[in-house]
C-alpha cells in the first residue's frame, strides 16, 4: 500500500461519540472513524447505504484504510466548553400544564447543556491505502473530481469547517496517538476513540484506548497505525 500524509487545520472542531445528557464531551483529536469519513469524502466515495430507513446506515463494502493520527508539536488543541439552551417540544405531557400556557405558543421546554469543543485543531493524518484511492484524495483536494459529492467536509460538527487540508511532502514532529495494550502503564491524555461505527447496532461499534506519545517525533510508531473501520480479511 502507498502512503499519503495530510496536515489538517481548523479553528474549531468537535468529535463527539454517542452520548446523551446535559454534558457533551469531545475527543481530544479526530478519531479514526471520523478520519475515515473525511478521507472518503475527499476521494468522492459514498459511504452511506442507499436505504429508505430512519437510520442512515454505512455501506458494508467501504474501503478499509490504515490510519495514523497525531497533533502537530507546539500547537496542541485546547478543549473549551460553552453553555447552550436547548429549546424543544417534549414528547408526552411533560411541562404541558404548567409551562405551555405561560410561553404563549413558544417552545416551553428549555434545557441547559454544556458542550466541549476543540480550539486550534492542527493535526497530521497518515493514510495507507490503495494507490488509486490516494490519487482520488489528491484530485479531490485540487477540485478535479467530477463525480457526485455528498457534502462539504466539516470538523466533526457541521458548524465547524476546516481552514486548510494540505498534502505534506515532509512530516513535522507530532504527538502521535498510539493504541494502548492491556499491559501498558498509564499514559497521560489517554482517551477511547471510535474506530468502526455501526449505526444499526451501537453495541457493535468498535473503539480502542489511545494516548499521545510524550515526546514528538516525525514518523509515527507502529502502534499508531490502525485499520478502520476494521482490518480486512486476508485473501
Amino acid at each position: 500500500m502507498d502512503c499519503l500524509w495530510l496536515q489538517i487545520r481548523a479553528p474549531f472542531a468537535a468529535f463527539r461519540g454517542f452520548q446523551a445528557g446535559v454534558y457533551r464531551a469531545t475527543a481530544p483529536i479526530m478519531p479514526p472513524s471520523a478520519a475515515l469519513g473525511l478521507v472518503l469524502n475527499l476521494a468522492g466515495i459514498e459511504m452511506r447505504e442507499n436505504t429508505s430507513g430512519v437510520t442512515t446506515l454505512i455501506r458494508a463494502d467501504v474501503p478499509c484504510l490504515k490510519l495514523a493520527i497525531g497533533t502537530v508539536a507546539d500547537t496542541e488543541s485546547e478543549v473549551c466548553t460553552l453553555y447552550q439552551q436547548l429549546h424543544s417540544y417534549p414528547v408526552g405531557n411533560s411541562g404541558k400544564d404548567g409551562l405551555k400556557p405561560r410561553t404563549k405558543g413558544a417552545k416551553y421546554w428549555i434545557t441547559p447543556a454544556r458542550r466541549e469543543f476543540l480550539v486550534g485543531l492542527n493535526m497530521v493524518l497518515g493514510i495507507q491505502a490503495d494507490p488509486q484511492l490516494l490519487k482520488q484524495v489528491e484530485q479531490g483536494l485540487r477540485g478535479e473530481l467530477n463525480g457526485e459529492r455528498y457534502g462539504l467536509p466539516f470538523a466533526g460538527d457541521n458548524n465547524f469547517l476546516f481552514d486548510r487540508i494540505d498534502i505534506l511532502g515532509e512530516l513535522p514532529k507530532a504527538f502521535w496517538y498510539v493504541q494502548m495494550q492491556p499491559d501498558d502503564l498509564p499514559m497521560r491524555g489517554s482517551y477511547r476513540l471510535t474506530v468502526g461505527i455501526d449505526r444499526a447496532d451501537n453495541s457493535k461499534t468498535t473503539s480502542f484506548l489511545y494516548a499521545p506519545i510524550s515526546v514528538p517525533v516525525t514518523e509515527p510508531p507502529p502502534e499508531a497505525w490502525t485499520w478502520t473501520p476494521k482490518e480486512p480479511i486476508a485473501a
Side-chain angles (χ1 to χ4, degrees):
M1 294 189 299
D2 288 2
C3 189
L4 179 68
W5 303 95
L6 301 179
Q7 184 171 0
I8 302 169
R9 282 170 278 192
F12 305 105
F15 302 103
R16 302 186 181 100
F18 296 101
Q19 54 190 291
V22 297
Y23 193 96
R24 310 292 175 86
T26 178
I29 190 69
M30 181 187 295
S33 59
L36 170 67
L38 174 61
V39 172
L40 296 184
N41 183 295
L42 295 176
I45 298 174
E46 177 64 72
M47 68 181 300
R48 299 174 300 180
E49 188 71 61
N50 185 18
T51 61
S52 58
V54 176
T55 303
T56 302
L57 303 179
I58 298 175
R59 286 170 41 199
D61 60 345
V62 295
C64 295
L65 311 180
K66 204 170 187 180
L67 305 177
I69 297 168
T71 55
V72 177
D74 302 325
T75 58
E76 188 173 358
S77 302
E78 180 182 7
V79 177
C80 299
T81 63
L82 56 80
Y83 281 99
Q84 182 181 20
Q85 288 184 331
L86 302 180
H87 299 250
S88 63
Y89 292 111
V91 177
N93 296 320
S94 299
K96 182 177 180 180
D97 296 332
L99 300 178
K100 185 177 180 180
R102 296 160 57 186
T103 58
K104 310 301 181 183
K107 295 180 180 180
Y108 57 88
W109 196 263
I110 303 175
T111 304
R114 190 173 182 180
R115 295 175 181 264
E116 290 185 347
F117 61 100
L118 301 177
V119 177
L121 176 69
N122 188 2
M123 59 171 286
V124 181
L125 174 63
I127 311 162
Q128 292 184 12
D130 179 79
Q132 178 58 36
L133 188 148
L134 299 182
K135 181 180 179 181
Q136 289 179 221
V137 173
E138 296 180 10
Q139 291 174 326
L141 287 171
R142 294 194 297 264
E144 298 174 355
L145 288 179
N146 298 320
E148 294 183 0
R149 306 298 295 274
Y150 60 88
L152 185 69
F154 52 81
D157 187 301
N158 58 14
N159 291 303
F160 300 149
L161 301 180
F162 296 108
D163 267 0
R164 297 182 62 93
I165 301 178
D166 297 307
I167 298 174
L168 295 176
E170 183 176 345
L171 292 180
K173 288 187 176 182
F175 293 97
W176 297 99
Y177 275 73
V178 296
Q179 184 178 330
M180 297 185 64
Q181 303 303 314
D183 296 332
D184 287 346
L185 296 175
M187 296 178 65
R188 185 181 298 274
S190 61
Y191 199 94
R192 185 165 290 275
L193 302 175
T194 51
V195 174
I197 302 295
D198 191 317
R199 293 178 177 173
D201 185 351
N202 193 35
S203 67
K204 297 179 181 178
T205 291
T206 55
S207 61
F208 301 117
L209 187 63
Y210 291 82
I213 57 178
S214 58
V215 178
V217 295
T218 54
E219 291 287 339
E223 296 80 11
W225 291 99
T226 300
W227 280 107
T228 181
K230 60 185 178 181
E231 185 172 357
I233 299 175

